[in-house]
Amino acid sequence: LFTAPIIFFAGFNVKGITESKYRQFISVVITAAISIYGAFTIRLIGAPLIQSYSRLSYPITAMAERIRATGFSEGLIISDNRFLAGTMHFQFPASRALVPDYNFEDLPYPPTLTRAVVIWKADLSPQPPKKLITFLKSRYNVNLMDYPVNYYEQPYKYNTSDTAKLGVLQFPLP
């Protein structure tokens, strides 16, 4: 949508660009930009009405604070969701993020990382997803049932009634 004005006006002859055509171009570009920002804002603010939340609505910072309060400050972040793994990596910059099946499992992690945190969307699956259970058992010989699971629930941004729920499990790295 944002490139549409550029493509539309790219076919004009340079000699044929007048002041009125230039103003028309600028107005189309400004209208496109306002439309895009308006759509993002409506999608974010209007999410409770349509019961569909985007990644912008997810309370990552609040969830990270809850995880940080348990003592996790750095380590290996393992999730079956690349969005969760990646954004939690931004919240814990000294950590490494790992998503099974992305073929980064065999990369070495620094020996300074002594803890791992497993994160999944508990509102979709209260128990750890089978993909994570299988991966952790085969890769780290960790049985998730041996460790306590904490559930953190926070309201979505710009919402007071609907909440996002994360399942979080921590274990020492071998």
Side-chain angles (χ1 to χ4, degrees):
L1 181 63
F2 189 70
T3 59
I6 296 169
I7 293 169
F8 179 73
F9 286 99
F12 283 153
N13 182 355
V14 175
K15 294 178 183 175
I17 297 177
T18 63
E19 186 175 336
S20 74
K21 286 184 180 179
Y22 174 74
R23 284 187 181 153
Q24 183 182 15
F25 172 75
I26 294 299
S27 66
V28 170
V29 168
I30 290 172
T31 302
I34 290 172
S35 298
I36 290 168
Y37 289 122
F40 276 125
T41 302
I42 290 170
R43 174 80 166 95
L44 188 62
I45 303 294
L49 298 175
I50 58 174
Q51 294 297 309
S52 177
Y53 295 93
S54 72
R55 292 176 177 186
L56 297 174
S57 302
Y58 217 80
I60 290 293
T61 305
M63 294 288 198
E65 287 302 320
R66 302 274 307 268
I67 294 169
R68 195 172 279 113
T70 66
F72 182 83
S73 60
E74 70 176 13
L76 191 60
I77 300 168
I78 304 169
S79 180
D80 63 330
N81 183 297
R82 60 190 162 103
F83 163 69
L84 281 179
T87 52
M88 284 299 177
H89 170 57
F90 285 124
Q91 296 295 318
F92 301 97
S95 298
R96 297 279 173 100
L98 180 63
V99 179
D101 299 333
Y102 271 78
N103 298 323
F104 296 113
E105 299 94 26
D106 294 327
L107 293 176
Y109 54 85
T112 56
L113 299 182
T114 59
R115 299 207 46 81
V117 64
V118 181
I119 303 171
W120 69 94
K121 289 186 174 184
D123 42 8
L124 301 177
S125 168
Q127 297 302 317
K130 290 183 182 182
K131 180 197 257 183
L132 283 176
I133 293 171
T134 305
F135 171 75
L136 292 168
K137 185 68 176 166
S138 65
R139 179 75 170 115
Y140 298 103
N141 197 27
V142 170
N143 183 0
L144 292 185
M145 301 308 147
D146 294 342
Y147 298 95
V149 175
N150 295 311
Y151 295 99
Y152 302 118
E153 200 165 355
Q154 291 290 130
Y156 285 102
K157 291 180 183 176
Y158 313 108
N159 187 337
T160 55
S161 59
D162 295 329
T163 59
K165 187 175 182 181
L166 284 185
V168 178
L169 181 142
Q170 296 184 43
F171 66 91
L173 286 170

